[in-house]
Amino acid sequence: MVFKKLLGALGVGGPSVDTVLEPGPALPGAVLTGEVRLRGGGSDVTVDRISLLLVARVEREDQDEEHEGTVVLERFTVGGGFRLAEEAEHTVPFSVTLPWETPITELHGQHLGPALGIRTELEIAGARDKGDLDALAVGPLPAQEAILEAFGQLGYAFRSADLELGHIRGTGQQLPCYQEIEILPPAGHAHAVNEIEVTFIAAPGGLEVVIEADKRAGLFSDGHDTVHRFTTSHHGVPHTDWNAQVDAWLKEVIAGHETRATPSSGFGHHGDQHRSGPGAGAVVAGVAAGVAVGVVGGMVAAEVVDEIGDAFEEEEGEEGDEG
């Protein structure tokens, strides 16, 4: 879907921009291709820079209240330094590499929930304006897909997915936010947990899988969360028994083991798993602290804007300048 907008900062009759993405879902860490199509306005202008911004809708907590905003996950410069004549047409093809941690928006054609897009920004005569916004579909990496399918095979059901502003301590997270995929347990585990939250943190060397179990409160005890981190390789996905692997992870998470584990120096292969940190209780505290730090420190660095709305095209705020 393409949204065409005139560059209001340049006045009536300014250039228009239309960005077209290659059809089909992109993949985290993979190349995204397309082209930016420009049409000149009522006068000649010099296009100093064309930027593509990977933007996402995120949630953040502020004094026990949830707010939504827009965060810029990555910025790419794809062109610039040319003259655009009056009413002339100019096309700029591009090829950019998405971050490995780019959130997943769909699985087998089914939308998972996070709103992700590519915003095109033109810089002309020192003025910068939002010129175009396209929804971006992102599918899972093979290991991510295999793990999610294993949850389904084990009787778990997808509930929702969102993006949380902040960092999870003890992981290699690079982006200012992380994706939480909420999954409901099958009847056999419903007595022990309310839901399971899964976060994927991908990197060239492998995949970190953070699993959090929201445990039910007993008659004489309070409910609490247990968080565990596992790692696996991108290789050998077809040769791994993912049902057995994910089931083993879940049994450990639900049991809430707090044994210490020696951090691995690298990523596991063929489903090897490692826990980092001094136990689940401390990891939970680390996640909470990471979110708090991310909200304060990430607001400027990530160009967060509090633009409340249901869709990108309804935003009216202005994004901060890139640091």
Side-chain angles (χ1 to χ4, degrees), residues 281-318:
V283 174
V284 172
V287 172
V291 172
V293 171
V295 170
V296 175
M299 293 286 284
V300 175
E303 301 180 43
V304 175
V305 185
D306 293 327
E307 299 173 337
I308 307 303
D310 295 329
F312 286 116
E313 60 267 29
E314 295 177 359
E315 295 170 359
E316 296 179 356
E318 294 183 356

Side-chain angles (χ1 to χ4, degrees), residues 253-300:
V253 172
I254 293 174
H257 292 163
E258 295 190 1
T259 55
R260 294 178 182 271
T262 302
S264 171
S265 59
F267 287 92
H269 295 276
H270 298 256
D272 291 345
Q273 61 189 52
H274 305 276
R275 262 199 332 276
S276 67
V283 174
V284 172
V287 172
V291 172
V293 171
V295 170
V296 175
M299 293 286 284
V300 175

Side-chain angles (χ1 to χ4, degrees), residues 58 121 174 207 222 245 247 251 288:
V58 301
E121 186 179 83
Q174 299 295 314
L207 179 68
D222 294 329
Q245 180 64 85
D247 187 50
K251 286 179 179 177

